[in-house]
Each structure stands twice: as C-alpha cells, then as structure tokens.
C-alpha cells in the first residue's frame, strides 16, 4: 500500500517569513495530493490540493509543488501570519472514485510574532 | 463542519465494553470514512463505506466494525474496547465543503480506562 512520509514534524518560523513542509510518497500510481490544516480541537480542513497532471498550484499565500519523478510534493506558505499556526497534514491517493487517502504524520507549524 | 456531525464528542469507557460512535451527514454523499488520529501516526484509515451496506476495511481495522444502513449514518463499533483504542476518531465524507477532497467531522475523543 501507499506510504507517505512528512518532514519536519515541527517547524517554527518568524511572522512574515516563509514555511515549507515536504512529503514523499511510495506508490507511483498515486495522483491526487491534498493538504489539510488542523486547528486545535477541530477536524482537518482541506486547504489546497494538486493532481499529477499539474506541477504547481497556488492559492494566495499557499502553494503546492509536485515532482512525480522524485515522488515528492511540498507545501509553501509565504508571508506567514499567526493564524497559520496549526498542524498540517499531507496525503496521497489514487484518483479513481473511492479515494482512500493515506496521510503523513503531520507538521506542527508555529508562527513566532 | 457543515453537513457532518459526530457523536458523542467525548466518551470515557471501561476496558471490555462495547462502544459505538456515530457519524451523520446531511448531504447524501456516497463515500464515508472513519479515521483514528494518534500522535506520531497522523490519521489512519479504519473502515470506509461506498454506499448503503457496502463497507470495507482500512489499514487498522482489527477490533472495529462498521455499519451503514442509511446513506446519512455511518456507525463505528468497538466490539470490546481496549486501552490501545484510546484515540481521537474522525469521520469524513468525500465532498461537502472540501469539494473534491474530504470534509471531516469535529472528532470524537475516546478514552478507554
């Protein structure tokens, strides 16, 4: 089955700086890669996703890049703000209807004011 | 999250007792999932459903069973709770506010003593 590794497990950055979280996956058949943000006491919430036919996708301060050859994808957050502090999860699945997402172990991002 | 509710939100139970967690959706989504979240493990799939009475196992299904007799309800049962099943349990639907991805419920914190 699919295995997703995520690094780092914790990340602290100064407010206004950029943050990068990286994930690798094992199954070359995977072609859907979402990122979720989880705030304390809540369920994870989808913030951005990318499919394998696209190398990069951007939504305001958030971007995701995908390298299918190397089987890794990354989340980039620019101009970080205190409300970006949360746990972030990457995930991977095959895009064939019933997507059973395999998640990474999470990154706790702390924005230092 | 809009359209998906989990109950109870918190529960403490004794080892060896059966426990049932409920996930209810109001948006008629076909796919529903149960995950557990533990430190260092991220989110791991327990069981999923692709329709009424159609369910299948995930990667950590031992000790759990599920039922889906109606589209809107997906029940997770711990047949005989053990301390290793102390966790936070999340239900998810494919779609909803998560569009193509998952929409998660707010979670059930289960403690087995």
């Amino acid at each position: 089955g699919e295995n997703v590794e995520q690094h780092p497990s914790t990340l602290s950055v100064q407010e206004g700086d950029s943050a990068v979280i990286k994930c690798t996956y094992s199954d070359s058949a995977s072609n859907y890669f979402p990122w979720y943000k989880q705030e304390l006491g809540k369920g994870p919430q989808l913030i951005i996703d990318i499919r394998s036919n696209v190398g990069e996708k951007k939504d305001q301060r958030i971007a995701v890049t995908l390298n299918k050859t190397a089987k890794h994808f990354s989340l980039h957050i620019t101009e970080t703000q205190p409300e970006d502090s949360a746990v972030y999860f990457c995930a991977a699945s095959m895009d064939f209807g019933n997507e059973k997402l395999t998640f990474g172990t999470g990154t706790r991002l702390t924005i230092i004011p | 999250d809009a359209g998906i509710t989990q109950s109870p939100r918190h529960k403490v139970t004794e080892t060896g007792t059966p426990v049932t967690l409920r996930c209810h959706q109001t948006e008629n989504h076909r796919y529903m999932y149960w995950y557990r979240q533990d430190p260092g493990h991220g989110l791991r799939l327990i069981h999923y459903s692709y329709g009424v009475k159609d369910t299948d196992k995930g990667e950590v299904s031992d000790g759990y069973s599920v039922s889906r007799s109606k589209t809107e309800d997906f029940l997770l049962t711990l047949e005989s709770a053990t301390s290793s099943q102390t966790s936070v349990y999340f239900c998810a639907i494919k779609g909803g506010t998560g569009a193509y991805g998952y929409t998660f419920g707010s979670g059930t914190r289960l403690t087995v003593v």
Side-chain angles (χ1 to χ4, degrees), chain A residues 32 36 38 41-46 49 51 89 95-106, chain B residues 1 9 31 33 35 37 40-43 45 48 50 57 59 90 94 98 100-102 104-106:
Chain A
Y32 174 63
Y36 287 81
Q38 185 178 29
K42 298 183 179 180
Q45 182 176 14
L46 179 70
D49 57 10
R51 311 218 188 148
F89 291 96
D95 183 9
F96 294 118
N98 177 22
E99 293 77 22
K100 293 179 292 180
L101 289 174
T102 299
F103 285 84
T105 50
Chain B
D1 288 88
R9 289 296 312 276
Y31 297 105
Y33 308 83
Y35 282 83
Q37 183 175 27
H41 291 278
L43 293 134
L45 182 64
Y48 64 97
Y50 43 96
K57 297 179 180 180
E59 63 176 302
F90 286 100
K94 179 189 167 186
Y100 190 81
Y102 287 7
F104 282 89
S106 298

Side-chain angles (χ1 to χ4, degrees), chain A residues 6 34-48 86-91 101 103-107, chain B residues 1-2 4 6 9 33-38 41-44 88-99 101-108:
Chain A
Q6 182 172 349
W35 285 89
Y36 287 81
K37 175 183 180 182
Q38 185 178 29
E39 297 176 336
L40 193 62
K42 298 183 179 180
Q45 182 176 14
L46 179 70
I47 56 172
I48 195 167
V87 179
Y88 292 81
F89 291 96
C90 62
L101 289 174
F103 285 84
T105 50
T107 296
Chain B
D1 288 88
I4 180 169
Q6 292 185 233
R9 289 296 312 276
Y33 308 83
W34 276 107
Y35 282 83
R36 61 177 289 175
Q37 183 175 27
D38 304 287
H41 291 278
L43 293 134
R44 293 179 292 174
V88 180
Y89 292 85
F90 286 100
C91 176
I93 58 174
K94 179 189 167 186
T97 57
Y102 287 7
T103 298
F104 282 89
S106 298
T108 294

Side-chain angles (χ1 to χ4, degrees), chain B residues 13 17-21 63-65 76-82 85-86 89 110 112:
Chain B
T13 192
T17 60
V19 178
T20 295
L21 309 182
Y64 302 95
S65 63
L76 176 70
T77 298
L78 289 65
E79 304 291 348
S80 177
T82 67
Q85 293 176 313
T86 292
Y89 292 85
L110 176 68
V112 183

Side-chain angles (χ1 to χ4, degrees), chain A:
Chain A
E2 175 67 278
N3 182 53
V4 177
E5 295 189 356
Q6 182 172 349
H7 299 281
S9 57
T10 61
L11 179 62
S12 295
V13 301
Q14 290 291 140
E15 182 178 353
D17 288 350
S18 296
V20 180
I21 302 170
K22 299 181 179 181
C23 289
T24 60
Y25 60 98
S26 61
D27 192 338
S28 58
S30 291
N31 56 14
Y32 174 63
F33 308 94
W35 285 89
Y36 287 81
K37 175 183 180 182
Q38 185 178 29
E39 297 176 336
L40 193 62
K42 298 183 179 180
Q45 182 176 14
L46 179 70
I47 56 172
I48 195 167
D49 57 10
I50 192 169
R51 311 218 188 148
S52 60
N53 58 344
V54 176
E56 183 174 359
K57 183 177 178 180
K58 188 174 182 179
D59 183 3
Q60 298 183 351
R61 297 186 295 109
I62 294 173
V64 57
T65 59
L66 171 65
N67 183 327
K68 284 219 71 176
T69 302
K71 291 191 284 187
H72 68 70
F73 56 112
S74 300
L75 177 71
H76 304 254
I77 306 174
T78 59
E79 301 174 9
T80 53
Q81 301 170 4
E83 54 263 38
D84 294 329
S85 293
V87 179
Y88 292 81
F89 291 96
C90 62
S93 79
M94 289 181 287
D95 183 9
F96 294 118
N98 177 22
E99 293 77 22
K100 293 179 292 180
L101 289 174
T102 299
F103 285 84
T105 50
T107 296
R108 182 174 298 279
L109 175 64
T110 302
I111 307 303
I112 304 167

